[in-house]
């Protein structure tokens, strides 16, 4: 949340009522800011201003949460799907409103970060920060040297050049190859389109690292809070420092779902 937010947004974040219902409370004169009756359009800083509804203090939890999910195939990366498909939020049983840091395709599996630290999320996704994302792509094998060379030089796609920072064959076995591809941006279907363009159509795609944070052995469909070094890595990648209100897996050992 920014320093000064609309009063109804702060009230909604504190779980008082929906934004709309909070506006009704404000209009009815039931809300005060630092002892003065609030008006529609007022902004408050929840860390500084005292907001009361009918004389009861409104407490806003400004804790920042950072977690990783191992997204299975078939689950969409949005918080709500109008078509009713399972979303990543169905897998994260937390009260807090968290948002995925970017998206993975419905059929892509692996590391998805979720946070309510909007500033960090925006920076991590902005192409200018060139945050590394590592993917493992299962493709038909063997992969020719020429194919790797074309990838390293960059592949012209409809929306511009796609160029991995690094690419290598991690494994090759029985007509299949596992390519490790490191990208520094996240255009829609970029890895699939890029590999298809060099004759290596993706059969399975998984993200295994983002901004130096690794998926490790987290099981599919499970999530966990990031620890302090992981949160620090993300902030370093985004050029920011870890906020004092960050909750880490070291400060809370709550079991994951
Ligand atoms: N590139 C893709 O093609 N798909 C993803 O889900 C992520 C990167």
């Amino acid at each position: 949340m920014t320093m000064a937010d609309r009063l109804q947004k702060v009230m909604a974040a504190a779980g008082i009522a929906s934004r709309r219902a909070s506006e009704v409370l404000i209009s009815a004169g039931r809300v005060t800011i630092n002892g003065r009756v609030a008006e529609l359009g007022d902004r408050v800083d929840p860390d500084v201003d005292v907001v009361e509804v009918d004389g009861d203090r409104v407490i806003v939890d400004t804790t920042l949460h950072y977690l990783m999910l191992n997204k299975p195939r078939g689950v969409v990366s949005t918080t709500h799907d109008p078509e009713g498909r399972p979303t990543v939020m169905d897998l994260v049983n937390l009260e807090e409103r968290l948002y995925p840091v970017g998206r993975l395709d419905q059929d892509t599996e692996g590391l998805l970060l979720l946070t309510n630290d909007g500033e960090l999320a925006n920076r991590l996704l902005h192409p200018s920060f060139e945050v590394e994302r590592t993917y493992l792509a299962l493709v038909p094998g063997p992969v020719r040297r020429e194919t790797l060379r074309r990838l390293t030089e960059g592949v012209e796609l409809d929306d511009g050049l796609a160029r991995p920072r690094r690419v290598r064959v991690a494994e090759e076995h029985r007509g299949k190859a596992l390519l490790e591809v490191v990208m520094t941006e996240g255009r829609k279907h970029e890895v699939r389109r890029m590999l298809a363009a060099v004759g290596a159509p993706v059969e399975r795609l998984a993200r295994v690292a983002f901004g130096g944070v690794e998926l490790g052995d987290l099981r599919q469909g499970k999530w966990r809070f990031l620890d302090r070094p992981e949160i620090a890595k993300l902030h370093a990648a985004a050029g920011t420092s870890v906020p004092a209100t960050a909750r880490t897996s070291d400060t809370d050992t709550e079991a994951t779902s």
Side-chain angles (χ1 to χ4, degrees), residues 10-71:
V10 171
M11 290 170 66
I16 301 296
S18 68
R19 283 192 200 187
R20 187 72 201 95
S22 296
E23 285 170 9
V24 173
L25 291 172
I26 298 166
S27 304
R30 292 169 59 185
V31 185
T32 58
I33 304 169
N34 304 325
R36 154 186 85 71
V37 175
E39 292 169 13
L40 276 180
D42 280 349
R43 287 177 174 269
V44 287
D45 177 347
D47 288 334
V48 177
D49 296 313
V50 176
V51 176
E52 289 171 320
V53 178
D54 296 335
D56 292 329
R57 177 92 193 258
V58 172
I59 308 289
V60 183
D61 179 5
T62 52
T63 307
L64 294 171
H65 299 275
Y66 308 88
L67 58 93
M68 69 157 77
L69 169 73
N70 186 348
K71 182 184 107 52

Side-chain angles (χ1 to χ4, degrees), residues 136-170:
L136 289 178
L138 186 69
V139 298
V143 173
R144 295 182 11 230
R145 254 197 222 165
E146 166 66 8
T147 306
L148 291 178
R149 190 189 57 75
R150 283 176 66 192
L151 286 168
T152 311
E153 283 177 1
V155 181
E156 201 56 60
L157 300 177
D158 296 350
D159 54 354
L161 193 71
R163 188 163 180 214
R165 176 163 285 173
R166 291 187 296 282
V167 57
R168 69 178 185 100
V169 179

Side-chain angles (χ1 to χ4, degrees), residues 104-105 108 135 189-192 205:
L104 291 176
D105 297 336
T108 302
Y135 297 89
H189 309 315
E190 190 173 9
V191 175
R192 290 175 194 275
L205 186 62

Side-chain angles (χ1 to χ4, degrees), residues 175-193:
K176 303 276 180 206
L178 203 53
L179 283 181
E180 187 186 82
V181 183
V182 180
M183 306 296 291
T184 52
E185 56 172 11
R187 280 184 275 155
K188 201 167 183 193
H189 309 315
E190 190 173 9
V191 175
R192 290 175 194 275
R193 289 188 291 136

